[in-house]
Amino acid sequence: MSKKQVMAEIIRHTSLSDGIFDMTLKAEEIAKEAKAGQFISVYLNNKSKILPRPISICGIDKEAGTLRIVYRTVGDGTKELSDYKEGETVKILGPLGNGFTQKDKKAILIGGGIGIPPMLELMKQLDCEKTAVLGYRDSDMFLKDEFEAVGDVVISTEDGSYGTKGNVIDAIKEQGVEGSIIYACGPTPMLRGIKAYAEEMGIEAQISMEERMACGIGACLVCVCKSKDVDSHSHVHNKRVCKDGPVFDAREVEL
């Protein structure tokens, strides 16, 4: 799979909730190759900000030649991105990383926080019995309706304002969610809990890791995580999240 660098037109750009933005980009060459779980690097038009922003792919429309990203404003770069208008162009590189390996098994899809958007395309693509378990801070539940349109959904909120009070594992246990494989994306503490739960239940778990990145193509080693096996590139117990991931078998990495 070859990555492409293109100038992508912003087809649609809206705010989903406080600090969460939804952007659709015309990028036919990248959309043609993209898989659920991969990401793109977005280069800002402000040339003083050299490094791109890695953003997970939320939606892929190969027929229309578009990609959808849903992102949170966390710094100056994403704040600038949130000001871009429909009709403007932005340089992107992708598709990057490895996506989820889809299997015909009863699936539990888990997303936490800004790890929720990349699970939506997978939820749409999987042709099997599936339940999405989504973890939010509160009742501001972006993308919830879109998940419910394509499968069963279970919710946890940190403040208990909706669904199970607690985290995604609390929701799985309280609401009796069962499956033969887990696909997950979210913050490291959540993934650590999912890894332990999968081991306890004896089921496979594919986890998409969130790490700070610089180059996005595996050259700089900024985004390494600790791995069970020795990496052939660095010759130590490391994996590059951008190149070897972001999706890993949970048994391959130490969290």
Side-chain angles (χ1 to χ4, degrees):
M1 182 181 295
S2 60
K3 53 185 176 290
K4 306 286 185 181
Q5 188 176 89
V6 303
M7 292 300 297
E9 181 184 356
I10 300 171
I11 302 298
R12 181 172 175 270
H13 198 193
T14 60
S15 173
L16 289 182
S17 64
D18 185 26
I20 304 291
F21 291 85
D22 183 352
M23 179 184 286
T24 300
L25 298 159
K26 185 75 170 181
E28 295 179 4
E29 291 180 274
I30 299 177
K32 181 180 178 181
E33 300 288 339
K35 292 175 57 180
Q38 291 186 298
F39 68 98
I40 60 173
S41 282
V42 181
Y43 292 82
L44 299 172
N45 294 331
N46 180 349
K47 301 304 180 185
S48 69
K49 295 180 173 67
I50 299 172
L51 295 176
R53 270 56 185 175
I55 302 178
S56 297
I57 296 171
C58 174
I60 305 164
D61 190 331
K62 295 182 186 295
E63 193 170 308
T66 60
L67 297 171
R68 181 187 184 190
I69 55 174
V70 172
Y71 63 95
R72 174 179 284 141
T73 52
V74 293
D76 290 343
T78 44
K79 176 61 174 69
E80 179 183 322
L81 184 64
S82 72
D83 290 332
Y84 291 178
K85 308 300 182 186
E86 295 172 1
E88 294 181 354
T89 59
V90 62
K91 183 167 71 174
I92 64 173
L93 175 69
L96 298 174
N98 297 307
F100 291 101
T101 300
Q102 299 181 28
K103 300 189 177 181
D104 187 18
K105 297 180 179 180
K106 186 177 182 180
I108 306 173
L109 291 80
I110 306 175
I114 205 61
I116 290 171
M119 305 310 298
L120 182 57
E121 181 64 26
L122 181 65
M123 186 78 167
K124 291 177 178 178
Q125 290 186 13
L126 283 174
D127 186 20
C128 61
E129 190 175 351
K130 57 200 172 186
T131 301
V133 183
L134 308 178
Y136 297 95
R137 293 174 181 170
D138 50 39
S139 58
D140 187 6
M141 297 173 288
F142 59 93
L143 299 178
K144 172 178 169 287
D145 292 347
E146 293 190 51
F147 277 91
E148 290 177 333
V150 289
D152 295 331
V153 176
V154 167
I155 301 293
S156 72
T157 52
E158 292 178 14
D159 66 358
S161 56
Y162 191 97
T164 296
K165 181 177 182 179
N167 59 38
V168 290
I169 299 299
D170 295 326
I172 288 171
K173 292 178 178 178
E174 181 179 280
Q175 303 195 41
V177 180
E178 296 181 348
S180 302
I181 185 171
I182 291 173
Y183 306 95
C185 183
T188 299
M190 187 194 88
L191 297 181
R192 189 180 297 119
I194 290 168
K195 175 181 169 72
Y197 178 77
E199 290 174 353
E200 176 189 342
M201 301 302 293
I203 59 178
E204 178 184 354
Q206 295 180 28
I207 58 174
S208 178
M209 298 183 64
E210 297 179 349
E211 289 287 344
R212 290 185 178 274
M213 296 181 186
C215 72
I217 57 174
C220 69
L221 304 183
V222 166
C223 66
V224 293
C225 64
K226 190 174 181 181
S227 61
K228 181 179 178 182
D229 299 322
V230 173
D231 175 45
S232 60
H233 177 77
S234 59
H235 307 294
V236 293
H237 288 274
N238 282 339
K239 293 283 188 183
R240 296 162 292 171
V241 172
C242 68
K243 181 77 172 180
D244 303 314
V247 179
F248 296 96
D249 185 312
R251 295 167 294 188
E252 294 180 12
V253 292
E254 302 294 335
L255 299 171

